[in-house]
Amino acid sequence: MSRFVTVIPARFGSTRLPGKPLVDIEGEPMVVRVWRQALKSSSSRVVVATDDARVGEVASRAGAEVIMTRPDHPNGTSRLADVAEQLGLDAETCMVNVQGDEPLIPPELIDQVAHTLHAVPQASIATLAEPIDAIETLASPHVVKVVCDRYGRALYFSRAPIPWQRDAFTLSAELAPALPGAGWHRHIGLYAYRVGFLQAYVNWPEAPLEQCEQLEQLRALYHGHHIQVTLCEGAYPPGVDTQEDLERVRGWIRRSHGEP
């Protein structure tokens, strides 16, 4: 496995779950749990990137390397470029972005996305996807769908149900038997980037498609960059967006430790 750096962006502000990086998950702050999972990967370096001193202090106390970033970054990609600049990383360095609200992130998937980028030198970004097997998932605007070419290169990302079966005019239970293997895939927001791409990305204005869908990866496609997509080699557990998600993760960890 070639060397790569993992960065965990951790913003304190969250509309649905204020102070999210510091919420307690069975005795440990969430950002620390994410960091510990990332340490189990093959990363040569794992960094917590935050613009909040409280998050930085908690992560540092746990032993994490912390980079303080500007508070005005419009998205996670911009924050990663800030980290790359502060660390003085060269243009060919691979950086993996692990969201700070994924305390169950499997370390082998971090390795998978980094390996994909190293294996496809013409790609600027690598990311993951998984088959969609429920109509509700396909129809949800909160689930990002991705369509790829025969080589796994992303053609488009959308909140809409793509591809659209021409003769199916409604999303109904009648489509359910066709879902497995029908070409519908959910995008998993785990990314590997080349630092040189990040340096270019932050100098581009928002793309029209990006503004429409509110998906920052569309800026890369708009500017002709190659995003390589591979299917997850294992289950990708859900992150924490809401209080309900938090309780679900707490319960999963208790059960994994043999507690009721």
Side-chain angles (χ1 to χ4, degrees):
M1 169 70 70
S2 299
R3 291 168 62 84
F4 63 95
V5 176
T6 294
V7 178
I8 304 167
R11 290 178 59 253
F12 188 85
S14 171
T15 303
R16 289 183 286 184
L17 193 59
K20 185 161 61 170
L22 301 184
V23 296
D24 179 81
I25 300 181
E26 300 304 301
E28 200 161 43
M30 179 157 60
V31 67
V32 174
R33 283 194 173 272
V34 178
W35 170 70
R36 293 197 191 284
Q37 286 298 102
L39 287 178
K40 298 174 187 176
S41 73
S42 300
S43 302
S44 58
R45 193 171 186 177
V46 179
V47 177
V48 173
T50 185
D51 58 5
D52 190 282
R54 291 164 292 186
V55 176
E57 181 181 353
V58 167
S60 294
R61 195 161 56 238
E65 179 180 4
V66 175
I67 294 290
M68 299 302 297
T69 59
R70 302 194 321 268
D72 59 346
H73 288 295
N75 54 45
T77 311
S78 175
R79 195 174 304 278
L80 252 68
D82 185 349
V83 173
E85 182 178 3
Q86 291 195 52
L87 294 180
L89 301 179
D90 65 65
E92 285 304 310
T93 299
C94 170
M95 294 182 75
V96 174
N97 182 2
V98 173
Q99 298 297 329
D101 57 5
E102 296 183 343
L104 305 178
I105 181 75
E108 58 271 20
L109 294 186
I110 299 175
D111 290 344
Q112 181 188 349
V113 75
H115 173 73
T116 298
L117 188 64
H118 283 302
V120 186
Q122 64 271 34
S124 297
I125 306 173
T127 190
L128 303 178
E130 63 182 6
I132 291 175
D133 58 8
I135 291 296
E136 295 77 15
T137 303
L138 181 62
S140 173
H142 303 296
V143 175
V144 178
K145 277 68 71 172
V146 59
V147 173
C148 301
D149 69 10
R150 62 184 294 188
Y151 304 106
R153 295 175 297 208
L155 295 172
Y156 193 62
F157 297 84
S158 181
R159 298 182 184 279
I162 57 171
W164 182 260
Q165 286 194 350
R166 189 194 66 175
D167 296 327
F169 296 103
T170 60
L171 289 170
S172 68
E174 295 176 3
L175 276 178
L179 281 171
W184 284 297
H185 289 95
R186 169 183 174 240
H187 174 230
I188 302 298
L190 180 63
Y191 293 98
Y193 300 94
R194 299 191 196 282
V195 167
F197 164 79
L198 293 172
Q199 293 167 339
Y201 178 95
V202 294
N203 291 315
W204 299 330
E206 274 191 286
L209 295 173
E210 176 188 6
Q211 292 174 331
C212 177
E213 296 260 16
Q214 291 298 295
L215 297 174
E216 62 191 87
Q217 65 269 38
L218 290 176
R219 192 183 311 184
L221 293 184
Y222 185 80
H223 287 274
H225 281 259
H226 174 169
I227 301 178
Q228 188 69 29
V229 183
T230 54
L231 293 180
C232 287
E233 294 176 352
Y236 194 89
V240 176
D241 285 325
T242 65
Q243 186 67 35
E244 290 74 19
D245 295 336
L246 179 60
E247 296 305 327
R248 192 178 305 115
V249 168
R250 285 169 171 165
W252 189 94
I253 290 175
R254 284 196 298 271
R255 290 190 296 274
S256 71
H257 292 163
E259 301 173 14

